[in-house]
Coordinates of all heavy atoms in Angstrom, one line a residue:
M1 N 52.2 -41.5 -15.9 CA 51.9 -42.7 -16.7 C 50.4 -42.9 -16.9 O 49.6 -42.7 -16.0 CB 52.5 -43.9 -16.0 CG 52.3 -45.2 -16.7 SD 53.2 -46.5 -15.9 CE 52.1 -47.8 -16.0
L2 N 50.0 -43.1 -18.1 CA 48.6 -43.3 -18.5 C 48.2 -44.7 -18.2 O 48.7 -45.7 -18.7 CB 48.4 -42.9 -19.9 CG 48.5 -41.5 -20.4 CD1 48.3 -41.4 -21.9 CD2 47.5 -40.6 -19.6
T3 N 47.1 -44.8 -17.4 CA 46.6 -46.1 -17.1 C 45.4 -46.4 -18.1 O 45.0 -45.4 -18.8 CB 46.0 -46.2 -15.7 OG1 44.9 -45.3 -15.6 CG2 47.1 -45.9 -14.7
N4 N 44.9 -47.6 -18.2 CA 43.8 -47.9 -19.0 C 42.6 -47.0 -18.7 O 41.9 -46.5 -19.6 CB 43.5 -49.4 -18.9 CG 42.6 -49.8 -20.1 OD1 42.6 -49.2 -21.1 ND2 41.8 -50.9 -19.8
T5 N 42.3 -46.8 -17.4 CA 41.2 -46.0 -17.0 C 41.4 -44.5 -17.4 O 40.5 -43.9 -17.9 CB 41.1 -46.0 -15.4 OG1 41.0 -47.4 -15.0 CG2 39.9 -45.2 -15.0
T6 N 42.6 -44.0 -17.4 CA 42.9 -42.7 -17.8 C 42.7 -42.5 -19.3 O 42.1 -41.5 -19.7 CB 44.4 -42.3 -17.4 OG1 44.6 -42.5 -16.0 CG2 44.7 -40.9 -17.8
V7 N 43.1 -43.5 -20.0 CA 42.9 -43.4 -21.5 C 41.5 -43.4 -21.8 O 41.0 -42.6 -22.6 CB 43.7 -44.6 -22.2 CG1 43.3 -44.6 -23.7 CG2 45.2 -44.4 -22.0
K8 N 40.7 -44.3 -21.2 CA 39.3 -44.4 -21.4 C 38.6 -43.0 -21.0 O 37.7 -42.5 -21.7 CB 38.6 -45.5 -20.6 CG 38.9 -46.9 -21.1 CD 38.2 -47.9 -20.3 CE 38.6 -49.3 -20.7 NZ 38.1 -50.3 -19.8
R9 N 39.0 -42.4 -19.9 CA 38.5 -41.2 -19.5 C 38.8 -40.1 -20.5 O 37.9 -39.2 -20.8 CB 39.0 -40.8 -18.1 CG 38.6 -39.6 -17.5 CD 37.2 -39.7 -16.8 NE 36.8 -38.4 -16.3 CZ 35.9 -38.3 -15.4 NH1 35.2 -39.3 -15.0 NH2 35.6 -37.1 -14.9
K10 N 40.0 -40.1 -21.0 CA 40.4 -39.1 -22.0 C 39.5 -39.2 -23.2 O 39.1 -38.2 -23.8 CB 41.9 -39.2 -22.3 CG 42.8 -38.2 -21.7 CD 44.1 -38.3 -22.2 CE 44.9 -37.0 -21.9 NZ 46.3 -37.0 -22.3
R11 N 39.3 -40.4 -23.6 CA 38.5 -40.6 -24.8 C 37.1 -40.2 -24.6 O 36.4 -39.6 -25.4 CB 38.5 -42.1 -25.2 CG 39.7 -42.5 -25.9 CD 39.6 -44.0 -26.4 NE 40.9 -44.5 -26.7 CZ 41.4 -45.7 -26.4 NH1 40.6 -46.5 -25.8 NH2 42.6 -46.0 -26.8
Y12 N 36.6 -40.4 -23.4 CA 35.2 -40.0 -23.0 C 35.1 -38.5 -23.0 O 34.2 -37.9 -23.6 CB 34.8 -40.5 -21.6 CG 33.5 -40.0 -21.1 CD1 32.3 -40.4 -21.6 CD2 33.5 -39.0 -20.1 CE1 31.1 -39.9 -21.2 CE2 32.3 -38.4 -19.7 CZ 31.1 -38.9 -20.2 OH 30.0 -38.4 -19.8
L13 N 36.1 -37.8 -22.4 CA 36.1 -36.3 -22.4 C 36.4 -35.8 -23.8 O 35.9 -34.7 -24.2 CB 37.1 -35.8 -21.4 CG 36.8 -36.1 -19.9 CD1 37.9 -35.7 -19.1 CD2 35.5 -35.4 -19.5
G14 N 37.2 -36.5 -24.5 CA 37.6 -36.0 -25.8 C 38.7 -34.9 -25.7 O 38.8 -34.2 -24.7
V15 N 39.4 -34.8 -26.8 CA 40.5 -33.8 -26.8 C 39.8 -32.4 -26.7 O 40.4 -31.5 -26.1 CB 41.3 -33.9 -28.1 CG1 42.3 -32.8 -28.2 CG2 42.0 -35.2 -28.1
N16 N 38.7 -32.2 -27.3 CA 38.0 -30.9 -27.2 C 37.7 -30.4 -25.8 O 37.8 -29.2 -25.5 CB 36.7 -30.9 -28.1 CG 37.0 -31.0 -29.5 OD1 38.1 -30.6 -30.0 ND2 36.1 -31.4 -30.3
M17 N 37.4 -31.3 -24.9 CA 37.1 -31.0 -23.5 C 38.3 -30.4 -22.9 O 38.3 -29.4 -22.1 CB 36.5 -32.1 -22.8 CG 36.1 -31.8 -21.4 SD 34.8 -30.5 -21.4 CE 33.4 -31.4 -21.0
L18 N 39.5 -31.1 -23.1 CA 40.7 -30.6 -22.5 C 41.1 -29.3 -23.1 O 41.6 -28.4 -22.4 CB 41.8 -31.6 -22.7 CG 41.6 -33.0 -22.0 CD1 42.7 -34.0 -22.4 CD2 41.5 -32.8 -20.5
N19 N 40.9 -29.1 -24.4 CA 41.2 -27.8 -25.1 C 40.3 -26.7 -24.6 O 40.7 -25.6 -24.4 CB 41.1 -27.9 -26.6 CG 42.3 -28.8 -27.1 OD1 43.3 -28.9 -26.5 ND2 42.1 -29.3 -28.3
L20 N 39.0 -27.1 -24.3 CA 38.0 -26.1 -23.9 C 38.5 -25.6 -22.5 O 38.4 -24.3 -22.3 CB 36.7 -26.8 -23.8 CG 35.6 -25.9 -23.2 CD1 35.3 -24.6 -24.1 CD2 34.3 -26.6 -23.0
R21 N 38.9 -26.4 -21.6 CA 39.4 -26.0 -20.3 C 40.5 -24.9 -20.5 O 40.5 -23.9 -19.9 CB 39.9 -27.2 -19.5 CG 40.4 -26.8 -18.2 CD 41.1 -28.0 -17.5 NE 41.5 -27.7 -16.1 CZ 42.6 -27.0 -15.8 NH1 43.4 -26.6 -16.7 NH2 42.8 -26.8 -14.5
D22 N 41.5 -25.3 -21.3 CA 42.6 -24.3 -21.5 C 42.2 -23.1 -22.2 O 42.6 -22.0 -21.9 CB 43.7 -25.0 -22.3 CG 44.6 -26.0 -21.5 OD1 44.4 -26.0 -20.3 OD2 45.4 -26.7 -22.1
D23 N 41.3 -23.2 -23.2 CA 40.8 -22.0 -23.9 C 40.0 -21.1 -22.9 O 40.2 -19.9 -22.9 CB 39.8 -22.4 -25.0 CG 40.5 -23.0 -26.2 OD1 41.8 -22.9 -26.3 OD2 39.9 -23.6 -27.0
L24 N 39.2 -21.7 -22.0 CA 38.5 -20.8 -21.0 C 39.5 -20.2 -20.0 O 39.3 -19.0 -19.7 CB 37.5 -21.7 -20.2 CG 36.3 -22.2 -21.0 CD1 35.5 -23.2 -20.2 CD2 35.4 -21.0 -21.3
L25 N 40.5 -20.9 -19.6 CA 41.5 -20.3 -18.7 C 42.3 -19.2 -19.4 O 42.5 -18.1 -18.8 CB 42.5 -21.4 -18.2 CG 41.8 -22.4 -17.2 CD1 42.8 -23.5 -16.9 CD2 41.4 -21.7 -15.9
K26 N 42.7 -19.4 -20.7 CA 43.4 -18.4 -21.4 C 42.5 -17.2 -21.6 O 43.0 -16.0 -21.5 CB 43.9 -19.0 -22.8 CG 45.0 -19.9 -22.6 CD 45.4 -20.6 -24.0 CE 46.4 -21.7 -23.8 NZ 46.6 -22.4 -25.1
A27 N 41.3 -17.4 -21.9 CA 40.4 -16.2 -22.1 C 40.2 -15.5 -20.8 O 40.2 -14.2 -20.8 CB 39.0 -16.7 -22.6
S28 N 40.1 -16.2 -19.7 CA 40.0 -15.5 -18.4 C 41.2 -14.7 -18.1 O 41.2 -13.6 -17.6 CB 39.7 -16.5 -17.3 OG 38.4 -17.1 -17.5
E29 N 42.4 -15.3 -18.4 CA 43.6 -14.6 -18.2 C 43.7 -13.3 -19.0 O 44.1 -12.3 -18.4 CB 44.8 -15.6 -18.6 CG 46.2 -15.0 -18.3 CD 47.3 -16.0 -18.6 OE1 47.3 -16.5 -19.7 OE2 48.1 -16.2 -17.7
K30 N 43.3 -13.4 -20.2 CA 43.3 -12.2 -21.1 C 42.3 -11.1 -20.6 O 42.6 -9.9 -20.6 CB 43.0 -12.5 -22.5 CG 44.2 -13.3 -23.2 CD 43.8 -13.6 -24.6 CE 44.9 -14.4 -25.3 NZ 44.6 -14.8 -26.6
H31 N 41.2 -11.6 -20.1 CA 40.2 -10.7 -19.5 C 40.7 -10.0 -18.3 O 40.6 -8.8 -18.2 CB 38.9 -11.6 -19.2 CG 37.9 -10.8 -18.5 ND1 37.0 -10.0 -19.1 CD2 37.6 -10.8 -17.1 CE1 36.1 -9.5 -18.2 NE2 36.5 -9.9 -17.0
F32 N 41.3 -10.7 -17.4 CA 41.8 -10.1 -16.2 C 43.0 -9.1 -16.5 O 43.0 -8.0 -16.0 CB 42.3 -11.1 -15.2 CG 41.3 -12.1 -14.7 CD1 41.6 -13.4 -14.4 CD2 40.0 -11.6 -14.5 CE1 40.6 -14.3 -13.9 CE2 39.0 -12.5 -14.0 CZ 39.3 -13.8 -13.7
E33 N 43.8 -9.5 -17.4 CA 45.0 -8.7 -17.8 C 44.5 -7.4 -18.5 O 45.0 -6.3 -18.3 CB 45.9 -9.4 -18.7 CG 46.7 -10.5 -17.9 CD 47.5 -11.4 -18.8 OE1 47.3 -11.4 -20.1 OE2 48.4 -12.1 -18.3
A34 N 43.5 -7.5 -19.3 CA 42.9 -6.3 -20.0 C 42.3 -5.4 -19.1 O 42.5 -4.1 -19.2 CB 41.9 -6.8 -21.1
H35 N 41.6 -5.9 -18.1 CA 41.0 -5.0 -17.1 C 42.1 -4.3 -16.2 O 42.0 -3.1 -15.9 CB 40.0 -5.7 -16.2 CG 38.7 -5.8 -16.8 ND1 37.8 -4.7 -16.8 CD2 38.1 -6.8 -17.4 CE1 36.7 -5.1 -17.4 NE2 36.8 -6.4 -17.8
I36 N 43.1 -5.0 -15.9 CA 44.3 -4.4 -15.1 C 44.9 -3.3 -16.0 O 45.1 -2.2 -15.4 CB 45.3 -5.5 -14.8 CG1 44.8 -6.5 -13.7 CG2 46.6 -4.9 -14.3 CD1 45.6 -7.7 -13.5
E37 N 45.1 -3.6 -17.2 CA 45.7 -2.5 -18.1 C 44.8 -1.3 -18.2 O 45.3 -0.2 -18.2 CB 46.1 -3.2 -19.4 CG 46.8 -2.2 -20.4 CD 48.2 -1.8 -19.9 OE1 48.7 -2.3 -18.9 OE2 48.8 -0.9 -20.5
K38 N 43.5 -1.6 -18.4 CA 42.6 -0.5 -18.5 C 42.6 0.5 -17.3 O 42.7 1.7 -17.5 CB 41.2 -1.0 -18.7 CG 40.1 0.0 -18.6 CD 38.7 -0.7 -18.7 CE 37.7 0.0 -17.9 NZ 36.4 -0.7 -18.0
H39 N 42.6 -0.1 -16.1 CA 42.6 0.7 -14.9 C 44.0 1.3 -14.6 O 44.1 2.4 -14.1 CB 42.1 -0.1 -13.7 CG 40.6 -0.4 -13.9 ND1 39.6 0.5 -13.8 CD2 40.0 -1.5 -14.4 CE1 38.5 0.0 -14.0 NE2 38.7 -1.3 -14.4
R40 N 45.1 0.6 -15.1 CA 46.4 1.2 -15.0 C 46.5 2.5 -15.8 O 47.0 3.5 -15.4 CB 47.5 0.2 -15.4 CG 48.9 0.6 -15.1 CD 49.9 -0.2 -15.8 NE 49.9 -0.1 -17.2 CZ 50.4 1.0 -17.8 NH1 51.0 2.0 -17.2 NH2 50.4 1.1 -19.2
I41 N 46.0 2.4 -17.0 CA 46.0 3.5 -18.0 C 45.2 4.7 -17.4 O 45.6 5.8 -17.5 CB 45.4 3.1 -19.3 CG1 46.3 2.1 -20.0 CG2 45.2 4.3 -20.2 CD1 47.5 2.6 -20.7
N42 N 44.0 4.3 -16.8 CA 43.2 5.4 -16.1 C 44.0 6.2 -15.1 O 44.0 7.4 -15.0 CB 42.0 4.8 -15.4 CG 40.9 4.3 -16.4 OD1 41.0 4.7 -17.6 ND2 40.0 3.6 -15.9
I43 N 44.8 5.4 -14.3 CA 45.7 6.1 -13.3 C 46.7 7.0 -14.0 O 47.0 8.1 -13.6 CB 46.3 5.1 -12.3 CG1 45.2 4.4 -11.5 CG2 47.4 5.8 -11.5 CD1 45.7 3.3 -10.6
E44 N 47.4 6.4 -15.0 CA 48.4 7.2 -15.8 C 47.8 8.5 -16.3 O 48.4 9.6 -16.2 CB 49.0 6.4 -16.9 CG 49.9 5.3 -16.5 CD 51.2 5.8 -15.9 OE1 51.6 7.0 -16.2 OE2 51.9 5.1 -15.2
V45 N 46.5 8.4 -16.9 CA 45.9 9.6 -17.4 C 45.7 10.6 -16.3 O 45.9 11.8 -16.4 CB 44.5 9.3 -18.1 CG1 43.7 10.5 -18.3 CG2 44.8 8.5 -19.4
L46 N 45.2 10.1 -15.1 CA 45.0 11.0 -14.0 C 46.3 11.7 -13.5 O 46.3 12.9 -13.1 CB 44.4 10.3 -12.8 CG 42.9 9.9 -13.0 CD1 42.5 8.9 -11.9 CD2 42.0 11.1 -13.0
L47 N 47.4 11.0 -13.6 CA 48.7 11.5 -13.1 C 49.3 12.4 -14.1 O 50.0 13.4 -13.7 CB 49.6 10.3 -12.8 CG 49.2 9.4 -11.6 CD1 50.2 8.2 -11.5 CD2 49.2 10.2 -10.3
E48 N 49.1 12.2 -15.4 CA 49.9 12.9 -16.4 C 49.0 13.9 -17.2 O 49.6 14.8 -17.8 CB 50.5 11.9 -17.4 CG 51.4 10.9 -16.8 CD 52.7 11.5 -16.3 OE1 53.1 12.6 -16.9 OE2 53.3 11.0 -15.4
N49 N 47.7 13.8 -17.3 CA 46.9 14.6 -18.2 C 46.1 15.6 -17.4 O 45.2 15.2 -16.6 CB 46.0 13.6 -19.0 CG 45.4 14.3 -20.1 OD1 45.2 15.5 -20.2 ND2 44.9 13.5 -21.1
A50 N 46.3 16.8 -17.7 CA 45.5 17.9 -17.0 C 44.0 17.8 -17.3 O 43.2 18.1 -16.4 CB 46.0 19.2 -17.3
V51 N 43.7 17.4 -18.5 CA 42.3 17.2 -18.8 C 41.6 16.1 -18.0 O 40.5 16.3 -17.5 CB 42.1 16.9 -20.4 CG1 40.6 16.6 -20.7 CG2 42.6 18.1 -21.2
G52 N 42.3 15.0 -17.9 CA 41.8 13.9 -17.1 C 41.6 14.3 -15.6 O 40.7 14.0 -14.9
V53 N 42.5 15.1 -15.1 CA 42.5 15.6 -13.7 C 41.3 16.5 -13.5 O 40.7 16.5 -12.5 CB 43.9 16.2 -13.3 CG1 43.7 16.9 -12.0 CG2 45.0 15.2 -13.4
A54 N 41.1 17.4 -14.5 CA 40.0 18.4 -14.3 C 38.6 17.7 -14.2 O 37.7 18.3 -13.6 CB 40.0 19.3 -15.5
E55 N 38.5 16.5 -14.7 CA 37.2 15.8 -14.7 C 36.9 15.2 -13.3 O 35.8 14.8 -13.1 CB 37.1 14.8 -15.8 CG 37.2 15.4 -17.2 CD 37.2 14.3 -18.2 OE1 37.3 13.1 -17.9 OE2 37.3 14.7 -19.4
H56 N 37.9 15.1 -12.4 CA 37.7 14.5 -11.2 C 38.0 15.4 -10.0 O 39.1 15.9 -10.0 CB 38.6 13.2 -11.1 CG 38.3 12.2 -12.1 ND1 37.2 11.3 -11.9 CD2 38.8 11.9 -13.3 CE1 37.1 10.5 -13.0 NE2 38.1 10.9 -13.8
G57 N 37.1 15.6 -9.1 CA 37.3 16.5 -8.0 C 38.3 16.0 -7.0 O 39.1 16.7 -6.6
D58 N 38.2 14.7 -6.7 CA 39.1 14.2 -5.7 C 40.0 13.1 -6.4 O 39.7 11.9 -6.5 CB 38.3 13.5 -4.6 CG 39.1 13.0 -3.4 OD1 40.4 13.0 -3.5 OD2 38.6 12.6 -2.4
I59 N 41.2 13.6 -6.8 CA 42.1 12.7 -7.6 C 42.5 11.5 -6.8 O 42.6 10.4 -7.3 CB 43.3 13.6 -8.1 CG1 42.8 14.8 -8.9 CG2 44.3 12.7 -8.8 CD1 42.0 14.4 -10.1
M60 N 42.9 11.8 -5.5 CA 43.4 10.7 -4.7 C 42.4 9.6 -4.5 O 42.7 8.4 -4.6 CB 43.9 11.2 -3.3 CG 45.2 12.1 -3.4 SD 46.6 11.2 -4.2 CE 46.9 9.9 -3.1
D61 N 41.2 10.0 -4.3 CA 40.1 9.0 -4.1 C 39.9 8.2 -5.4 O 39.7 7.0 -5.3 CB 38.8 9.7 -3.7 CG 37.7 8.8 -3.4 OD1 37.9 7.9 -2.5 OD2 36.6 8.9 -4.0
T62 N 39.9 8.9 -6.5 CA 39.8 8.2 -7.8 C 40.9 7.2 -8.0 O 40.7 6.1 -8.5 CB 39.7 9.2 -8.9 OG1 38.6 10.1 -8.7 CG2 39.4 8.5 -10.3
I63 N 42.1 7.6 -7.7 CA 43.3 6.7 -7.9 C 43.2 5.5 -7.0 O 43.4 4.4 -7.4 CB 44.6 7.5 -7.7 CG1 44.8 8.5 -8.8 CG2 45.8 6.5 -7.5 CD1 46.0 9.4 -8.6
E64 N 42.7 5.7 -5.7 CA 42.6 4.6 -4.8 C 41.5 3.6 -5.3 O 41.7 2.4 -5.2 CB 42.2 5.2 -3.4 CG 43.3 5.8 -2.7 CD 42.9 6.4 -1.4 OE1 41.8 6.2 -0.9 OE2 43.7 7.2 -0.8
K65 N 40.4 4.2 -5.9 CA 39.4 3.3 -6.5 C 39.9 2.5 -7.6 O 39.7 1.3 -7.7 CB 38.2 4.1 -6.9 CG 37.4 4.6 -5.7 CD 36.2 5.5 -6.2 CE 35.5 6.1 -5.0 NZ 34.4 7.0 -5.4
E66 N 40.7 3.1 -8.5 CA 41.3 2.4 -9.6 C 42.3 1.3 -9.1 O 42.3 0.2 -9.7 CB 42.0 3.4 -10.5 CG 41.1 4.4 -11.3 CD 40.2 3.7 -12.3 OE1 40.6 2.7 -12.9 OE2 39.1 4.2 -12.6
L67 N 43.1 1.7 -8.1 CA 44.0 0.7 -7.6 C 43.3 -0.5 -6.9 O 43.7 -1.7 -7.1 CB 44.9 1.3 -6.5 CG 46.0 2.2 -7.1 CD1 46.7 3.0 -5.9 CD2 47.0 1.4 -7.9
A68 N 42.2 -0.3 -6.3 CA 41.4 -1.3 -5.7 C 40.9 -2.3 -6.8 O 40.9 -3.5 -6.6 CB 40.2 -0.8 -4.9
I69 N 40.4 -1.7 -7.9 CA 40.0 -2.5 -9.0 C 41.1 -3.4 -9.6 O 41.0 -4.6 -9.8 CB 39.3 -1.7 -10.1 CG1 38.0 -1.0 -9.5 CG2 39.0 -2.5 -11.3 CD1 37.4 0.1 -10.4
I70 N 42.3 -2.7 -9.7 CA 43.5 -3.5 -10.2 C 43.8 -4.6 -9.3 O 44.1 -5.7 -9.7 CB 44.7 -2.5 -10.4 CG1 44.4 -1.6 -11.6 CG2 46.0 -3.3 -10.6 CD1 45.5 -0.5 -11.7
A71 N 43.8 -4.3 -8.0 CA 44.1 -5.4 -7.0 C 43.1 -6.5 -7.1 O 43.5 -7.7 -7.0 CB 44.1 -4.8 -5.6
E72 N 41.9 -6.3 -7.3 CA 40.8 -7.3 -7.4 C 41.1 -8.2 -8.6 O 41.1 -9.4 -8.5 CB 39.5 -6.7 -7.5 CG 38.3 -7.7 -7.6 CD 37.0 -7.0 -7.7 OE1 36.8 -5.9 -7.1 OE2 36.1 -7.6 -8.4
Y73 N 41.4 -7.6 -9.8 CA 41.7 -8.4 -10.9 C 43.0 -9.2 -10.8 O 43.1 -10.3 -11.3 CB 41.6 -7.6 -12.2 CG 40.2 -7.3 -12.7 CD1 39.7 -6.0 -12.6 CD2 39.4 -8.3 -13.2 CE1 38.4 -5.7 -13.0 CE2 38.1 -8.0 -13.6 CZ 37.6 -6.7 -13.5 OH 36.4 -6.5 -14.0
D74 N 44.0 -8.5 -10.2 CA 45.3 -9.2 -10.0 C 45.1 -10.4 -9.1 O 45.7 -11.4 -9.3 CB 46.3 -8.2 -9.4 CG 47.7 -8.7 -9.4 OD1 48.2 -9.0 -10.5 OD2 48.2 -8.8 -8.3
D75 N 44.3 -10.2 -8.0 CA 44.1 -11.4 -7.1 C 43.4 -12.5 -7.9 O 43.8 -13.7 -7.7 CB 43.2 -10.9 -5.9 CG 44.0 -10.1 -4.9 OD1 45.2 -10.1 -5.0 OD2 43.3 -9.5 -4.1
Q76 N 42.4 -12.2 -8.7 CA 41.7 -13.2 -9.4 C 42.7 -14.0 -10.4 O 42.6 -15.2 -10.5 CB 40.5 -12.6 -10.2 CG 39.4 -12.2 -9.3 CD 38.3 -11.5 -10.0 OE1 38.3 -11.4 -11.2 NE2 37.3 -11.1 -9.3
L77 N 43.5 -13.2 -11.1 CA 44.5 -13.8 -12.0 C 45.4 -14.7 -11.2 O 45.7 -15.8 -11.7 CB 45.2 -12.7 -12.7 CG 46.3 -13.1 -13.7 CD1 45.7 -13.9 -14.8 CD2 46.9 -11.8 -14.3
E78 N 45.9 -14.2 -10.1 CA 46.9 -15.0 -9.3 C 46.2 -16.3 -8.8 O 46.8 -17.4 -8.9 CB 47.4 -14.2 -8.1 CG 48.4 -14.9 -7.3 CD 48.9 -14.1 -6.1 OE1 48.6 -12.8 -6.1 OE2 49.4 -14.7 -5.2
M79 N 45.0 -16.2 -8.3 CA 44.3 -17.4 -7.8 C 44.0 -18.4 -8.9 O 44.2 -19.6 -8.8 CB 43.0 -17.1 -7.1 CG 43.2 -16.3 -5.8 SD 44.2 -17.2 -4.6 CE 45.8 -16.4 -4.7
M80 N 43.6 -17.9 -10.1 CA 43.3 -18.8 -11.2 C 44.6 -19.5 -11.6 O 44.6 -20.7 -11.8 CB 42.8 -18.0 -12.4 CG 42.4 -18.9 -13.6 SD 41.9 -18.0 -15.0 CE 43.5 -17.4 -15.6
N81 N 45.7 -18.8 -11.7 CA 47.0 -19.4 -12.1 C 47.5 -20.4 -11.1 O 48.1 -21.4 -11.4 CB 48.0 -18.4 -12.4 CG 47.8 -17.6 -13.7 OD1 47.2 -18.1 -14.6 ND2 48.2 -16.4 -13.7
K82 N 47.2 -20.1 -9.8 CA 47.7 -21.0 -8.7 C 46.9 -22.3 -8.7 O 47.4 -23.4 -8.5 CB 47.5 -20.3 -7.4 CG 48.0 -21.1 -6.2 CD 47.9 -20.3 -4.9 CE 48.3 -21.1 -3.7 NZ 48.3 -20.3 -2.5
Y83 N 45.5 -22.2 -8.7 CA 44.7 -23.4 -8.5 C 44.2 -24.0 -9.8 O 43.8 -25.2 -9.8 CB 43.5 -23.0 -7.7 CG 43.8 -22.6 -6.3 CD1 43.9 -21.3 -5.9 CD2 44.2 -23.6 -5.4 CE1 44.2 -21.0 -4.5 CE2 44.6 -23.3 -4.1 CZ 44.6 -22.0 -3.7 OH 45.0 -21.7 -2.4
F84 N 44.3 -23.3 -11.0 CA 43.9 -23.9 -12.2 C 44.9 -23.6 -13.3 O 44.7 -22.9 -14.3 CB 42.5 -23.3 -12.7 CG 41.5 -23.4 -11.6 CD1 41.2 -22.4 -10.7 CD2 40.8 -24.6 -11.4 CE1 40.3 -22.5 -9.7 CE2 39.8 -24.7 -10.4 CZ 39.6 -23.7 -9.6
P85 N 46.1 -24.2 -13.2 CA 47.2 -23.9 -14.2 C 46.7 -24.4 -15.6 O 46.1 -25.5 -15.7 CB 48.4 -24.7 -13.7 CG 47.9 -25.6 -12.6 CD 46.6 -25.1 -12.2
I86 N 47.1 -23.6 -16.6 CA 46.8 -24.0 -18.0 C 47.6 -25.3 -18.3 O 48.8 -25.4 -18.0 CB 47.1 -22.8 -18.9 CG1 46.2 -21.7 -18.6 CG2 47.0 -23.3 -20.4 CD1 46.5 -20.4 -19.4
G87 N 46.9 -26.2 -19.0 CA 47.6 -27.4 -19.3 C 47.5 -28.5 -18.3 O 48.0 -29.6 -18.5
D88 N 47.0 -28.2 -17.1 CA 46.9 -29.2 -16.0 C 45.6 -29.9 -16.1 O 44.6 -29.4 -15.6 CB 47.1 -28.5 -14.7 CG 47.0 -29.4 -13.5 OD1 47.1 -30.7 -13.7 OD2 46.9 -29.0 -12.4
D89 N 45.6 -31.1 -16.7 CA 44.3 -31.8 -16.9 C 44.1 -32.9 -15.8 O 43.3 -33.8 -15.9 CB 44.2 -32.4 -18.2 CG 45.3 -33.4 -18.6 OD1 46.2 -33.6 -17.7 OD2 45.3 -33.9 -19.7
T90 N 44.9 -32.8 -14.7 CA 44.8 -33.9 -13.7 C 43.4 -33.9 -13.1 O 42.9 -35.0 -12.8 CB 45.8 -33.7 -12.6 OG1 45.7 -32.4 -12.0 CG2 47.2 -33.9 -13.1
E91 N 42.7 -32.8 -12.9 CA 41.4 -32.8 -12.3 C 40.4 -33.6 -13.2 O 39.5 -34.3 -12.8 CB 40.9 -31.4 -12.0 CG 41.6 -30.8 -10.8 CD 41.4 -31.5 -9.5 OE1 40.2 -31.9 -9.3 OE2 42.4 -31.7 -8.8
L92 N 40.6 -33.4 -14.5 CA 39.7 -34.0 -15.5 C 39.9 -35.5 -15.6 O 39.0 -36.3 -15.9 CB 39.9 -33.4 -16.9 CG 39.4 -31.9 -17.0 CD1 39.8 -31.4 -18.4 CD2 37.9 -31.8 -16.8
L93 N 41.1 -35.9 -15.2 CA 41.5 -37.3 -15.4 C 41.3 -38.2 -14.1 O 41.5 -39.4 -14.1 CB 42.9 -37.5 -15.9 CG 43.2 -36.8 -17.2 CD1 44.6 -36.9 -17.6 CD2 42.3 -37.4 -18.3
K94 N 40.9 -37.5 -13.0 CA 40.7 -38.3 -11.7 C 39.5 -39.1 -11.8 O 38.5 -38.7 -12.5 CB 40.6 -37.3 -10.6 CG 41.9 -36.7 -10.1 CD 41.8 -35.9 -8.9 CE 43.1 -35.3 -8.5 NZ 42.9 -34.4 -7.3
E95 N 39.5 -40.2 -11.2 CA 38.3 -41.1 -11.1 C 37.3 -40.6 -10.1 O 37.7 -40.1 -9.1 CB 38.7 -42.5 -10.9 CG 39.4 -43.1 -12.1 CD 39.5 -44.6 -11.9 OE1 38.5 -45.3 -12.1 OE2 40.6 -45.0 -11.5

């Protein structure tokens, strides 16, 4: 339920501020997902492509590094979605 204070706060922040929050979160989500996909493809190339394999002396080490990068971005994406859900403007509306 919107109280008078909430309505005033929303007007102060403006619709653009609430949209900006969601836009930043969506952009971050796409950023994390793109990096995950990039490093997933790198692993696929190493596993499937003889040319890609020839460029790396220690394939297992390279795959482990790629997986670590994927895990880092996946963790960041999970934490962002957990603590900053898109469309959740409750933090902006608190007094």
Side-chain angles (χ1 to χ4, degrees):
M1 181 169 139
L2 291 176
T3 65
N4 193 27
T5 305
T6 303
V7 172
K8 286 179 186 174
R9 179 82 179 195
K10 257 189 165 175
R11 284 188 196 135
Y12 172 74
L13 292 173
V15 174
N16 289 338
M17 184 60 105
L18 296 176
N19 289 341
L20 176 62
R21 179 188 187 280
D22 283 354
D23 288 345
L24 289 170
L25 290 171
K26 287 175 188 175
S28 294
E29 183 176 52
K30 288 178 182 178
H31 173 80
F32 297 144
E33 289 171 347
H35 277 284
I36 290 167
E37 185 63 10
K38 172 183 147 183
H39 293 284
R40 190 193 67 75
I41 297 278
N42 286 346
I43 293 172
E44 286 292 340
V45 167
L46 289 168
L47 294 172
E48 301 291 333
N49 190 341
V51 174
V53 171
E55 295 174 359
H56 297 278
D58 188 351
I59 303 301
M60 291 304 296
D61 186 55
T62 303
I63 290 173
E64 287 175 13
K65 288 177 184 175
E66 293 291 331
L67 285 171
I69 294 169
I70 290 171
E72 182 179 327
Y73 282 110
D74 189 62
D75 286 346
Q76 290 176 2
L77 180 60
E78 184 181 342
M79 291 303 102
M80 185 186 72
N81 288 333
K82 180 177 180 179
Y83 292 105
F84 306 98
I86 293 174
D88 181 12
D89 59 359
T90 55
E91 287 299 317
L92 294 173
L93 299 178
K94 286 184 179 177
E95 289 190 81

